[in-house]
């Protein structure tokens, strides 16, 4: 039982942030499509703008013909303006880790599951969601760490249980 639960929590790949995903990385992992989380993956939580470098990265991905879509658990009100600004299709209220939003996004991409990865910063939503759906998962570190107590609490548990180490990340 323990090992089954453990596997659900485990990302396929763990990287610094989306900017680490380049042509070589995609080829190595056989990826042609990405299901992207929004908050703390493309943008700081609640921020109206993408993080520095993200727009250029999206342009690079498009040049490589990587199909992309956003699945966020946040509201339409939050997700719509930024996703439109970035030119990305999206699903808001994605209900991750439940598999519905991710499954729908995977069908939209029209690629075999083995060529897709869910990219996100949270084990409890992005990683478990991808694993339940049988899709590779790429865990990123959030661009900035959040101060809200609920996030702090969640990070604390993640750190304790999964030995994630945020101590080396710069606090802003
Ligand atoms: Mg997130």
């Amino acid at each position: 039982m323990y090992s089954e639960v453990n596997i659900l929590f485990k990302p396929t790949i763990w990287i610094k942030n989306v900017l680490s995903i380049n042509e070589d990385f995609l080829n190595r992992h056989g990826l042609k499509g990405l299901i992207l989380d929004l908050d703390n993956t493309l943008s700081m939580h609640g921020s109206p703008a993408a993080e520095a470098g993200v727009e250029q990265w999206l342009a690079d991905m498009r040049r490589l013909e990587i199909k992309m879509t956003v699945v966020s658990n946040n509201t339409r009100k939050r997700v719509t303006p930024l996703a439109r600004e970035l030119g990305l299709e999206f699903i808001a209220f994605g209900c991750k880790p439940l598999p519905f939003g991710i499954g729908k996004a995977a069908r939209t991409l029209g690629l075999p599951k083995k060529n897709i990865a869910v990219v996100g910063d949270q084990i409890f939503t992005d990683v478990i969601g991808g694993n339940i759906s049988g899709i590779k998962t790429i865990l990123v570190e959030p661009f900035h760490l959040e101060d809200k107590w609920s996030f702090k609490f969640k990070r604390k548990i993640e750190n304790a249980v999964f030995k994630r180490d945020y101590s080396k990340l710069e606090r802003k």
Side-chain angles (χ1 to χ4, degrees), residues 37-41 45 96 120-122 125-126 155:
D37 173 49
L38 191 74
D39 289 306
N40 288 331
T41 298
H45 191 85
K96 294 176 284 185
D121 66 297
Q122 288 200 47
T125 55
D126 308 305
R155 300 291 177 204

Coordinates of all heavy atoms in Angstrom, one line a residue, residues 37-41 45 96 120-122 125-126 155, ligand 1:
D37 N 0.3 23.9 -15.8 CA -0.4 24.6 -14.7 C -0.1 26.1 -14.9 O 0.8 26.5 -15.6 CB 0.3 24.1 -13.4 CG -0.2 24.8 -12.2 OD1 -1.4 25.0 -12.0 OD2 0.7 25.3 -11.4
L38 N -0.9 27.0 -14.2 CA -0.7 28.4 -14.4 C 0.0 29.0 -13.2 O 1.2 29.5 -13.4 CB -2.1 29.1 -14.6 CG -2.0 30.5 -15.1 CD1 -1.6 30.6 -16.6 CD2 -3.3 31.2 -15.0
D39 N -0.6 29.0 -12.1 CA -0.1 29.7 -10.9 C 1.2 29.0 -10.4 O 1.2 27.8 -10.1 CB -1.1 29.7 -9.8 CG -2.2 30.7 -10.1 OD1 -1.9 31.9 -10.4 OD2 -3.4 30.3 -10.0
N40 N 2.2 29.8 -10.3 CA 3.6 29.4 -9.8 C 4.3 28.5 -10.8 O 5.4 28.0 -10.6 CB 3.5 28.7 -8.5 CG 3.2 29.7 -7.4 OD1 3.6 30.8 -7.5 ND2 2.6 29.2 -6.4
T41 N 3.7 28.3 -12.0 CA 4.3 27.5 -13.0 C 4.7 28.4 -14.2 O 5.8 28.4 -14.7 CB 3.5 26.3 -13.5 OG1 3.2 25.5 -12.4 CG2 4.1 25.5 -14.6
H45 N 1.6 33.3 -8.3 CA 0.2 33.1 -7.9 C -0.5 34.4 -7.9 O -0.2 35.4 -7.2 CB 0.1 32.5 -6.5 CG -1.2 32.0 -6.2 ND1 -1.7 30.7 -6.6 CD2 -2.3 32.6 -5.6 CE1 -3.0 30.6 -6.2 NE2 -3.3 31.7 -5.6
K96 N -7.9 19.4 -10.4 CA -6.8 18.5 -10.2 C -6.7 18.2 -8.7 O -6.9 19.2 -7.9 CB -5.4 19.2 -10.6 CG -5.4 19.4 -12.1 CD -4.1 20.2 -12.5 CE -4.1 21.6 -12.2 NZ -2.9 22.4 -12.7
G120 N 3.7 21.2 -13.4 CA 3.1 22.0 -12.4 C 4.0 22.0 -11.1 O 5.0 21.3 -11.0
D121 N 3.6 22.9 -10.2 CA 4.5 23.1 -9.0 C 4.0 22.3 -7.7 O 4.6 22.4 -6.7 CB 4.6 24.6 -8.6 CG 3.2 25.1 -8.2 OD1 2.3 25.1 -9.0 OD2 3.1 25.5 -7.0
Q122 N 2.8 21.7 -7.9 CA 2.2 21.1 -6.6 C 2.1 19.6 -6.7 O 1.4 19.1 -7.7 CB 0.9 21.7 -6.3 CG 1.1 23.1 -5.8 CD -0.1 23.6 -5.0 OE1 -0.6 22.9 -4.2 NE2 -0.6 24.8 -5.3
T125 N -1.8 18.4 -6.5 CA -2.7 18.6 -7.6 C -2.1 18.1 -8.9 O -2.6 17.2 -9.5 CB -3.1 20.1 -7.7 OG1 -1.9 20.9 -7.8 CG2 -3.9 20.5 -6.5
D126 N -1.0 18.7 -9.3 CA -0.4 18.5 -10.6 C 0.2 17.1 -10.7 O -0.1 16.3 -11.7 CB 0.7 19.5 -10.9 CG 0.2 20.9 -10.7 OD1 -0.8 21.3 -11.4 OD2 0.8 21.7 -9.9
R155 N 3.3 23.5 1.9 CA 4.8 23.3 1.6 C 5.5 22.5 2.7 O 6.3 21.7 2.5 CB 5.5 24.6 1.4 CG 5.0 25.5 0.3 CD 5.2 24.9 -1.1 NE 4.6 25.8 -2.1 CZ 4.3 25.3 -3.3 NH1 4.5 24.1 -3.6 NH2 3.7 26.2 -4.1
Ligands
LIG1 MG1 0.4 25.9 -9.4

